[in-house]
Each structure stands twice: as C-alpha cells, then as structure tokens.
Amino acid sequence: MYGMLLESIQHFVQEEYGEDVWSKVLEESGFRNAVFTTHQVYPDRLIPCLAQACSKHSLQTNDDFLCFFGRCFVRFFTHYGYDTLIRASGRYFRDFLNGIDNLHHQIRFSYPKMQSPSFYVEREDVGGARLHYRSKRCGFGYYVIGQLIQIAQEFYGLELEATILTDEEDASGSSGCHLIYDLRFDNTPYQNAQAARRNMIEHTDLGSVSCVYLFQLFPFSIAFDRTMTIREVGEKSRELFGGEEMVGLPVETFFLMHRPRVPFTWDKIFILQKVVIELECLNSRFTKHPICDRRNSASTRNLLLKGQMRLIEDWDAIIYLCVPLLSNLQEMQEVGLYLTDLCLHDSSREIVLAGWQHGARLEISYEKQEERSKKLEENLKKRDEWKQKGDDLLYSMIPKAVALRLRNGEDAIETCESFDNVTVLFGEIVEFSELCTRLTAMEAVSCINEVFSLFDKVTDSYNVFKVETVGQVYMLVSGAPERRPDHAENVARAALDMMAQVNGMTTSDGEKIMVRIGMHSGPVAAGIVGLKMPRYCLFGDTVNTAARMQSHGESGKIHISEPSNKLLTGHGFSTVTRGPMKIKGKGEMNTFWLLGFKKEENQCQGGT
C-alpha cells in the first residue's frame, strides 16, 4: 500500500489521541521512527497492526479503529485534491458506488504500483444497494466501511448503514477475499433513473447503428454471446493475434479477466455493465518479456484492454467497447502498437505522450524523495542513539528518578528531600600524595582512573549510587534518592567488593595500592543544587561522620560506625569492635571493623 494511507492515520491519531499515543503505537507495531511518505510502498499488514496497537490504548476494538482509519483517509485525501475527483464522479451516491473502479483507473497513473481492490454493485433499490468487494488484501473489511460512511456523509449528505453479509476467500481462483456489503441509504435517484430510461426508449425516433460502423469506431472491441463464444472482433484486435480467425472460438482462448477479480462468465459480466473492465490479451504475437528496469513500465503483463461491457439486446450478445491500456511510449512499443493504432476520439494518444514526457521527471523526483526519507530515518536513529548516550551520561551524574523529575519541569530545589536513614561510604587511596611524588602526572592519573573504574563497576552490581569523586576520595550512598531498608547491607557488600577488587593492584613502579574505607548510617538531606554543572549532593552530619570513619581508619580495612554496625547485625556480616575512638569533631565514638561475611569467616576457620 502507498504511504498516503498511513499518513492519514498518523495525522488523525496524533490529532485526536496525542503524540505520545502515536509513538507508542508505532513502537508496538514494530515501526519505530518510521517516516511515511506519499509514494512509498509499505507492507499491507501495517494498517491492521496499527489498529491492534491503538485498541490497547482505548476502549475501542480493532474493527472500530479500522473503520476510524477508513474515515481518516477520506478526511485526509482532500489535501491532495482527491475530494474534487470524488465530487465529480457522480451526482448521487449510487453513481459513486457504480464508479469506484473507474476512480481507481483514473489515479493509477499517479500510483503505478497500486494494487487496488475491485467493487461492483450487484443490485439496487430505493433503500440502498448490495456491493461486492474483492481484494488481494485480507482484513480490510471495516476499513472500507469507514471510507464509505465518510464519503456518503461528507460528499452526499447521506447517513449510511453498512453491514457485512459475507466475508470469505475469493472463489475466483486467486488469493484474497470477497466481501458482500448491504448498504442502506436513501437511493431515490435509482427510481428516477429507471423512469428516465423507460421514457427515452418510448420516445426516441433514431434508427439502429450499423454493426460494421460500430466496429470501425471501436477497432479493439469484441462481441460474444451467452455461451462466451466470440461473434465478431475489431480490426486491431485481429492484428494483435496475427490476423488469425477468432470468430466462433471461446473468448477465454484469447482474453483473461484481469479486473475486476471475478469469474469470466456471462452472469458476472451482465451485472458489471457500469464498471470499467480490463481484459488481458493471451497468446498474442506481441507477448511482453520481463523488463529489467520495472520503473519505466507500469507492468510486465501482456497488453491490457480497458473498456465497458454493454448488452446489445438485438444481437443477444455483449460487446466490449475498449481501448489499449498504455502509460507511455515504451510500453506501447513493447506490445507492438503505434500511435496511429489508437483511436482519435479518446485520450489514449495523449496519455501515452504525456507519460513519456513526464515519466523521467517524476521518476527523478520520486527517487530523491525516497533518498530524503531514508536519510531522515537514519538521522532519527542516530538521534535516538545520541539521546541514549546523553541519558547514560546524565544518569551517571544524577540519579535517574531525579533526572526524570527535572525533565518533567520541576525546579532543581524541588528535588531536595530529607531521608531518615541512609548509609554513606567514603573510600580513599592511601598515601596518594607520596605516590604522586614518585610517578609522573599521567601515571598518577592512570592509577587513580584504574582504581575508580573498578569501583564504578562495583556500584553497578549493588543498589548504591556514586555521588562524586574528590581527588583520591570516592563517595557513594544507598537509601537515597531511592529509599531502601537494606541500605547498610548494600553499602557493606559494595565496600567488601571494592576492597577485594583493589587487592593485588600495583602502581607502574611496582608498589602495592592500598585503600581505606569508612561508612556511617544516619539522616541526610539530598538533592540538586546550583544551576551550572548540577550534581546530586548530600548534606548533613552523617556525611561528615562517614568521612571521619574513613580518615580515622587503617589501610586495607573497612571502618564502620556503631549505627552501621547495628543495621548489619543479623544479616550475615562479620564485624569486630575497635573500641572507643576519639573522632575529630565528634568526640569519643564506638567503632567497628567490617571483616566480611560470617560464612566466609567460618570457612576460613574450618580450613585452618
């Protein structure tokens, strides 16, 4: 299907349901970042997929949305001037129904790859009509209903009720579907047309037209009787088949019903007298061969004839009044015809010449549009990739929950909160100043980067957030901004892992790298402060105490406060008292060493 159908859906879903819903619908349909362009061809399954995705975001069903999509298309194609074509197709809604296939023929030159469905009216009455619909695409029955309802209402001021009587596989031998609709509307013009026809028959005084003259006017025409046997053919039709005798042979020997997609029988043809018919010439001496570059030809089929079937009651036969269906000079030459073979009284010659003149320019414009569309899709993908990189960088500086609040328009100060209990950790590379005197500046930077990179990997494995690094000091927290009852356990596990990761690391001159860690639990205030280079900061005495635990600790050990020790008790951690310590700015405090996990300790004791 062409992109114009999808453009209409996108426009009205965004208008009536919002941009967010449309983005979700596209993503659920597997077409995220898709950019629909008018002349681009897309998979037929896309519209049913969009309807199914839309139904998940509302109380309406798939069929409701298919009907809505059909109405959207009618409302949308006015942007392209097709409303003028609809209004000009007939004075009444019945005229439109009888001429739907004819409209498809008119727009096939603008959309050469279009696989349009086939419609024909089986019967009419003053209360409506019975409409047949055949298509290679299945699942669009309610989409058609939406189109018909909107056209009846918008262009003819009618209220239409449409019911699907049958929905089955196409019995004509090709894959697809065949639906029959019962359409109820005010069809008074049908009664008036019948009366006018009877009046003309009763009052005309013109004589009959000669058979010879009729076939001269329509040199490609064919006449056949109820047994589908050819009674007469025009001169040009004979030339297409090398002048061989065609009269008296079955019509299906030379022609195949191409459109509409119905069996080629007398009964079916009889009810299609108001529908444009296409026949494909079989076994002619101008059989077309496959073309490498299909862009320059509308089709690789044999010659198609387009016209109207009319019953001639005096002959008890149907005559097919037709002309060759050609788009440009190349296609005309491929089937072995010349301009002089085409009738003067129709537009065949003009269509062929116009197609030749404008085909190249249209092709160039179309290819440029395709290139722009692909480029736009690539740019949208790159935008998503860079957006993801930006998000990753942002979330490494600010907790994701806080960042989302800022994106939603909250002021930075509104992100500041009080937390009753969190656990803060400080880790420091011991004797870093002395290390800097032995190493070059770049070697020192490389050393600290290696250590802190290991710490970053550790933080990804536990429910902790890296707050900042200041010089050789690394700070993290658990319990903020996400409140967690197990914050002390998370920090303790991270501290033990950090110590294990550093164990065995050396500087470039072979000296062992030592780390000192301290942790404390208590209340803090936290949030984003400042306008430039925003960071998630912690405030309160708990932060100062955790820093003192680190500074008063020992190399290779984890120094914890009494509140942290209480929170770890009973959770499988092994700690040992260090005793009362005088802590700068705090006075005397009971502190502890975090040794590891009890099960590890027991295993070590059992192995000695």
Side-chain angles (χ1 to χ4, degrees), residues 33-37 369-383:
N33 293 331
V35 179
F36 301 128
T37 55
Q369 188 179 20
E370 281 187 319
E371 290 175 5
R372 293 191 190 103
S373 177
K374 290 178 182 178
K375 187 67 176 178
L376 183 56
E377 287 195 30
E378 292 174 2
N379 290 338
L380 287 173
K381 289 180 182 178
K382 289 180 180 179
R383 184 201 66 176

Tab-separated table of all heavy atoms in Angstrom, residues 33-37 369-383:
chain	number	residue	atom	x	y	z
A	33	ASN	N	10.110	5.054	14.642
A	33	ASN	CA	10.830	6.066	13.840
A	33	ASN	C	10.498	6.001	12.356
A	33	ASN	O	11.193	6.614	11.546
A	33	ASN	CB	12.350	5.961	14.016
A	33	ASN	CG	12.800	6.334	15.413
A	33	ASN	OD1	12.148	7.134	16.074
A	33	ASN	ND2	13.902	5.770	15.866
A	34	ALA	N	9.463	5.232	11.978
A	34	ALA	CA	9.094	5.167	10.558
A	34	ALA	C	8.588	6.531	10.096
A	34	ALA	O	7.847	7.210	10.801
A	34	ALA	CB	8.020	4.107	10.338
A	35	VAL	N	9.023	6.933	8.901
A	35	VAL	CA	8.568	8.193	8.307
A	35	VAL	C	7.776	7.832	7.053
A	35	VAL	O	8.332	7.309	6.092
A	35	VAL	CB	9.756	9.104	7.951
A	35	VAL	CG1	9.258	10.395	7.311
A	35	VAL	CG2	10.589	9.395	9.183
A	36	PHE	N	6.478	8.078	7.063
A	36	PHE	CA	5.612	7.691	5.959
A	36	PHE	C	5.621	8.790	4.892
A	36	PHE	O	5.424	9.960	5.184
A	36	PHE	CB	4.190	7.445	6.450
A	36	PHE	CG	4.100	6.370	7.498
A	36	PHE	CD1	3.451	6.609	8.707
A	36	PHE	CD2	4.668	5.127	7.288
A	36	PHE	CE1	3.369	5.624	9.670
A	36	PHE	CE2	4.596	4.136	8.240
A	36	PHE	CZ	3.949	4.390	9.437
A	37	THR	N	5.881	8.375	3.651
A	37	THR	CA	5.851	9.303	2.526
A	37	THR	C	4.803	8.834	1.523
A	37	THR	O	4.544	7.641	1.376
A	37	THR	CB	7.226	9.382	1.842
A	37	THR	OG1	7.653	8.070	1.470
A	37	THR	CG2	8.259	9.984	2.785
A	369	GLN	N	12.898	11.805	-3.291
A	369	GLN	CA	12.065	11.739	-2.102
A	369	GLN	C	12.379	10.489	-1.286
A	369	GLN	O	12.412	10.533	-0.054
A	369	GLN	CB	10.585	11.749	-2.496
A	369	GLN	CG	9.632	11.888	-1.311
A	369	GLN	CD	8.187	11.918	-1.739
A	369	GLN	OE1	7.847	11.487	-2.824
A	369	GLN	NE2	7.323	12.427	-0.878
A	370	GLU	N	12.618	9.374	-1.975
A	370	GLU	CA	12.996	8.147	-1.270
A	370	GLU	C	14.305	8.326	-0.517
A	370	GLU	O	14.461	7.885	0.620
A	370	GLU	CB	13.117	6.989	-2.268
A	370	GLU	CG	11.797	6.384	-2.695
A	370	GLU	CD	12.003	5.148	-3.543
A	370	GLU	OE1	12.909	5.160	-4.409
A	370	GLU	OE2	11.265	4.171	-3.346
A	371	GLU	N	15.279	8.976	-1.178
A	371	GLU	CA	16.565	9.213	-0.543
A	371	GLU	C	16.409	10.099	0.697
A	371	GLU	O	17.015	9.833	1.738
A	371	GLU	CB	17.531	9.869	-1.532
A	371	GLU	CG	17.979	8.944	-2.660
A	371	GLU	CD	18.848	9.659	-3.689
A	371	GLU	OE1	19.172	10.845	-3.452
A	371	GLU	OE2	19.207	9.042	-4.698
A	372	ARG	N	15.595	11.143	0.574
A	372	ARG	CA	15.375	12.029	1.725
A	372	ARG	C	14.704	11.270	2.870
A	372	ARG	O	15.028	11.477	4.048
A	372	ARG	CB	14.509	13.220	1.317
A	372	ARG	CG	15.182	14.172	0.338
A	372	ARG	CD	14.370	15.461	0.199
A	372	ARG	NE	14.870	16.281	-0.893
A	372	ARG	CZ	14.302	16.385	-2.079
A	372	ARG	NH1	13.201	15.686	-2.339
A	372	ARG	NH2	14.815	17.162	-3.014
A	373	SER	N	13.762	10.406	2.516
A	373	SER	CA	13.056	9.638	3.539
A	373	SER	C	14.016	8.702	4.268
A	373	SER	O	13.991	8.601	5.500
A	373	SER	CB	11.918	8.838	2.904
A	373	SER	OG	11.266	8.040	3.854
A	374	LYS	N	14.874	8.018	3.508
A	374	LYS	CA	15.847	7.115	4.137
A	374	LYS	C	16.825	7.892	5.007
A	374	LYS	O	17.201	7.455	6.097
A	374	LYS	CB	16.599	6.335	3.059
A	374	LYS	CG	15.749	5.306	2.325
A	374	LYS	CD	16.543	4.595	1.241
A	374	LYS	CE	15.663	3.591	0.488
A	374	LYS	NZ	16.411	2.925	-0.611
A	375	LYS	N	17.247	9.058	4.507
A	375	LYS	CA	18.183	9.875	5.270
A	375	LYS	C	17.551	10.338	6.569
A	375	LYS	O	18.207	10.350	7.627
A	375	LYS	CB	18.599	11.092	4.420
A	375	LYS	CG	19.702	11.930	5.046
A	375	LYS	CD	21.008	11.171	5.113
A	375	LYS	CE	22.123	12.053	5.649
A	375	LYS	NZ	23.395	11.319	5.766
A	376	LEU	N	16.272	10.710	6.507
A	376	LEU	CA	15.575	11.154	7.705
A	376	LEU	C	15.454	10.016	8.713
A	376	LEU	O	15.637	10.225	9.918
A	376	LEU	CB	14.186	11.672	7.325
A	376	LEU	CG	13.327	12.240	8.461
A	376	LEU	CD1	14.053	13.362	9.186
A	376	LEU	CD2	11.991	12.740	7.917
A	377	GLU	N	15.165	8.798	8.235
A	377	GLU	CA	15.088	7.658	9.140
A	377	GLU	C	16.433	7.388	9.800
A	377	GLU	O	16.518	7.084	10.994
A	377	GLU	CB	14.609	6.422	8.379
A	377	GLU	CG	13.135	6.451	8.021
A	377	GLU	CD	12.615	5.088	7.601
A	377	GLU	OE1	13.154	4.077	8.092
A	377	GLU	OE2	11.707	5.023	6.766
A	378	GLU	N	17.519	7.482	9.013
A	378	GLU	CA	18.848	7.294	9.579
A	378	GLU	C	19.150	8.358	10.628
A	378	GLU	O	19.712	8.056	11.690
A	378	GLU	CB	19.901	7.354	8.457
A	378	GLU	CG	19.839	6.177	7.496
A	378	GLU	CD	20.783	6.351	6.321
A	378	GLU	OE1	21.512	7.374	6.285
A	378	GLU	OE2	20.807	5.463	5.440
A	379	ASN	N	18.778	9.605	10.344
A	379	ASN	CA	19.029	10.682	11.298
A	379	ASN	C	18.234	10.474	12.582
A	379	ASN	O	18.722	10.769	13.684
A	379	ASN	CB	18.685	12.039	10.681
A	379	ASN	CG	19.660	12.446	9.592
A	379	ASN	OD1	20.793	11.955	9.544
A	379	ASN	ND2	19.250	13.343	8.710
A	380	LEU	N	17.003	9.966	12.447
A	380	LEU	CA	16.199	9.708	13.640
A	380	LEU	C	16.811	8.596	14.483
A	380	LEU	O	16.793	8.660	15.719
A	380	LEU	CB	14.773	9.334	13.236
A	380	LEU	CG	13.903	10.486	12.719
A	380	LEU	CD1	12.583	9.950	12.188
A	380	LEU	CD2	13.657	11.512	13.806
A	381	LYS	N	17.369	7.583	13.819
A	381	LYS	CA	18.032	6.504	14.563
A	381	LYS	C	19.268	7.039	15.277
A	381	LYS	O	19.533	6.705	16.434
A	381	LYS	CB	18.416	5.372	13.611
A	381	LYS	CG	17.234	4.569	13.093
A	381	LYS	CD	17.688	3.471	12.148
A	381	LYS	CE	16.491	2.691	11.601
A	381	LYS	NZ	16.915	1.633	10.636
A	382	LYS	N	20.048	7.884	14.558
A	382	LYS	CA	21.228	8.474	15.190
A	382	LYS	C	20.819	9.368	16.357
A	382	LYS	O	21.503	9.413	17.392
A	382	LYS	CB	22.017	9.284	14.161
A	382	LYS	CG	22.736	8.429	13.124
A	382	LYS	CD	23.503	9.289	12.138
A	382	LYS	CE	24.215	8.418	11.105
A	382	LYS	NZ	24.956	9.241	10.109
A	383	ARG	N	19.702	10.089	16.182
A	383	ARG	CA	19.229	10.930	17.275
A	383	ARG	C	18.919	10.091	18.507
A	383	ARG	O	19.272	10.470	19.643
A	383	ARG	CB	17.973	11.681	16.831
A	383	ARG	CG	17.452	12.666	17.880
A	383	ARG	CD	15.994	12.989	17.659
A	383	ARG	NE	15.146	11.823	17.866
A	383	ARG	CZ	13.823	11.856	17.811
A	383	ARG	NH1	13.203	12.989	17.514
A	383	ARG	NH2	13.118	10.761	17.999
